[in-house]
Amino acid sequence: MCSSCCYSCLKAMVFIVNFLVMLVGMFVTGVAVWLLVSEHLFLSSSWEHFSLNSLALLTVGLLVSLLAFLGCCGAITRSKCLLGMFVISLLVLLVGEVAVAVLIYFKELEYRPLLTEGVHEIVKEKYHPNNTATVLYWDTVQQGFECCGSSGPIDWAHSLYNGYQENTKELGIGARQTVLPFTIPSSCCRNMDDPLCSSTITPKFKTVIDENIYYSEGCLRKTIAFISSNSLYLMISAIIIISIEILGIIFSTCLCCAIKKIEDLKP
């Protein structure tokens, strides 16, 4: 009776935890798909020009959803095969995560070039009023970190937001050296209700951006500073995630063994 109760609890635990993880994975996947569809519809991006951040988010979401789905199906159908696939896949993922964490900790693997490329891509190529998804989350980043652009407000002068691509096509190669009048997104303003916030900046007459109106520091530097200052919390979060994965491997293995014992006891 006690062993039957333990088996039922173990089965329910494996199913519920994996179901919740699957919901999180599906949510992440949905957000990534929303970002990619928004880029494709409003910016006419081809597959090779999709945002690196969105593709990475989609990959993570699909991977988490698939693994959790295997665990759910294995628990509810009492399938040793599915549970075995889940345990092996989770073990491979765990080894990969630990390897990446160790490489980053000993600075053998740099995250900054990828971060730089992602932030630069958003500011220069993806931020546009028609691309609602990107505008929404990047405005949140700029207001939350109190930053502007990639390296500073001047980045917006050479961005799709100010029609930079169209200007270079019309004026030719030499246009790359010319800074035309440009505007800065309102999320860069210290006070978004300030009337001066929406003014056009004309480099010919105004080469200095007023720091009393706009945030002067770039979001790349702010993001790197945030990661550095919160490295301990990020490390604790990584340890918690790895611990949960280890418990998932242990519980799923125990469930698989229990299923085998039950099958062996059957006449």
Side-chain angles (χ1 to χ4, degrees):
M1 185 72 178
C2 182
S3 59
S4 176
C5 181
C6 289
Y7 167 72
S8 299
C9 289
L10 186 60
K11 179 182 174 181
M13 186 185 299
V14 171
F15 174 79
I16 292 171
V17 171
N18 279 288
F19 182 74
L20 293 175
V21 172
M22 185 173 67
L23 290 180
V24 173
M26 290 173 67
F27 174 76
V28 172
T29 303
V31 171
V33 170
W34 176 46
L35 291 172
L36 292 171
V37 169
S38 180
E39 285 184 27
H40 180 68
L41 289 179
F42 299 115
L43 300 182
S44 300
S45 298
S46 56
W47 281 105
E48 60 269 20
H49 294 116
F50 274 135
S51 171
L52 183 65
N53 295 333
S54 301
L55 290 174
L57 198 65
L58 179 64
T59 302
V60 171
L62 289 174
L63 184 61
V64 169
S65 299
L66 180 60
L67 282 177
F69 180 74
L70 280 176
C72 283
C73 290
I76 202 168
T77 61
R78 297 187 299 179
S79 170
K80 293 184 294 181
C81 179
L82 290 177
L83 284 172
M85 289 173 61
F86 172 69
V87 169
I88 292 171
S89 300
L90 197 56
L91 189 59
V92 171
L93 178 63
L94 180 62
V95 171
E97 288 173 347
V98 171
V100 170
V102 170
L103 289 173
I104 291 177
Y105 181 79
F106 289 104
K107 297 183 178 179
E108 295 294 329
L109 181 65
E110 274 290 340
Y111 68 89
R112 295 188 182 188
L114 290 175
L115 185 62
T116 301
E117 182 181 349
V119 172
H120 181 82
E121 181 184 46
I122 291 171
V123 174
K124 297 290 186 179
E125 303 171 11
K126 303 300 179 183
Y127 190 98
H128 190 274
N130 290 335
N131 191 1
T132 311
T134 300
V135 169
L136 180 64
Y137 82 78
W138 190 248
D139 282 348
T140 303
V141 169
Q142 292 193 139
Q143 280 291 301
F145 281 169
E146 297 184 349
C147 59
C148 186
S150 176
S151 57
I154 195 65
D155 291 337
W156 294 107
H158 291 157
S159 68
L160 180 64
Y161 177 72
N162 280 286
Y164 180 65
Q165 286 185 344
E166 288 77 10
N167 288 335
T168 53
K169 286 178 184 177
E170 290 176 7
L171 302 177
I173 299 174
R176 188 171 293 273
Q177 306 299 324
T178 304
V179 180
L180 300 175
F182 65 96
T183 56
I184 297 176
S186 60
S187 57
C188 281
C189 297
R190 298 182 185 277
N191 180 10
M192 295 176 67
D193 296 326
D194 190 339
L196 297 175
C197 177
S198 58
S199 61
T200 300
I201 295 173
T202 307
K204 183 178 179 182
F205 303 107
K206 186 180 180 182
T207 56
V208 179
I209 295 173
D210 193 345
E211 294 185 9
N212 294 318
I213 299 175
Y214 301 101
Y215 298 124
S216 58
E217 194 169 356
C219 291
L220 178 61
R221 182 181 295 178
K222 283 275 192 173
T223 304
I224 292 174
F226 175 81
I227 293 173
S228 299
S229 61
N230 292 278
S231 56
L232 178 61
Y233 298 108
L234 294 174
M235 193 179 300
I236 292 173
S237 300
I239 291 172
I240 291 173
I241 292 172
I242 289 173
S243 300
I244 292 173
E245 290 174 350
I246 291 173
L247 289 175
I249 292 172
I250 293 172
F251 287 148
S252 299
T253 303
C254 291
L255 180 59
C256 195
C257 293
I259 293 172
K260 185 178 184 304
K261 285 183 179 180
I262 291 173
E263 290 179 351
D264 291 340
L265 291 174
K266 289 181 179 179

